[in-house]
Amino acid sequence: MGEQQRVKFPQEVIDEYASLGVDLPALFSAGHLGTRMGVQILEAAAEKVVGTMPVEGNTQPYGLLHGGASAVLAETLGSVGSMLHGGASKIAVGVDLNCTHHRGVRSGLVTGVATPVHRGRSTATYEIVISDEEGRRVCTARLTCLLRDVRPGDGASAEPTAS
């Protein structure tokens, strides 16, 4: 579904991960599911994560954007924010996702914006607003992630994980 764009991370975040030997911009993506669905992360910081997803290819039988597709976009964006909040020593694991679907969309691109509701030591909660190309709210989601310490065998500590 197109080439993966480079994510815009704040320089201090890039420097934090680089000090641990991790090239964050080279490592980061929306994961295999996000790639299949065409998710593109445009901006990423603990304070705000922005991403897009095409409606085409992500519809249900009536031709509307599938609610599960909105959930994938929401969890991806909220997990990225949580991961960045937790830092390189933590892994963000989604433990609760709530989505309210407000209107149907049949074509175009939807944009999600994740902003923190709570950023603590062991959990992070983000509100994700997904809008259509006219700026109309399509879905409102809330994701809570557990921030757990990296353990041996977890792989790259900088990869966001979702439930």
Side-chain angles (χ1 to χ4, degrees):
M1 299 222 170
E3 218 172 275
Q4 204 54 5
Q5 295 177 1
R6 298 283 283 187
V7 181
K8 296 177 189 170
F9 290 101
Q11 189 60 49
E12 63 270 14
V13 173
I14 292 171
D15 293 344
E16 175 190 358
Y17 283 85
S19 72
L20 301 169
V22 176
D23 182 353
L24 188 60
L27 173 68
F28 191 78
S29 76
H32 296 295
L33 177 60
T35 298
R36 279 196 308 272
M37 297 183 73
V39 172
Q40 296 287 320
I41 309 295
L42 306 177
E43 177 184 335
E47 297 78 25
K48 180 175 152 183
V49 182
V50 180
T52 61
M53 181 180 66
V55 173
E56 183 180 350
N58 295 314
T59 58
Q60 40 88 311
Y62 295 113
L64 298 171
L65 177 63
H66 195 290
S70 294
V72 167
L73 178 60
E75 185 148 359
T76 299
L77 300 178
S79 291
V80 169
S82 296
M83 184 257 321
L84 291 171
H85 165 66
S89 66
K90 299 283 187 178
I91 289 180
V93 181
V95 294
D96 183 65
L97 177 64
N98 170 319
C99 298
T100 301
H101 306 287
H102 306 293
R103 69 178 331 117
V105 180
R106 292 186 180 278
S107 63
L109 203 62
V110 291
T111 300
V113 178
T115 54
V117 174
H118 167 77
R119 291 188 293 168
R121 287 177 298 162
S122 61
T123 63
T125 301
Y126 280 75
E127 178 184 61
I128 304 93
V129 174
I130 299 173
S131 303
D132 65 13
E133 291 178 315
E134 286 77 43
R136 298 175 296 192
R137 190 177 291 225
V138 172
C139 175
T140 303
R142 187 188 67 242
L143 173 70
T144 297
C145 287
L146 172 68
L147 301 174
R148 71 169 179 78
D149 292 333
V150 173
R151 299 181 197 145
D154 279 337
S157 60
E159 289 187 77
T161 60
S163 58

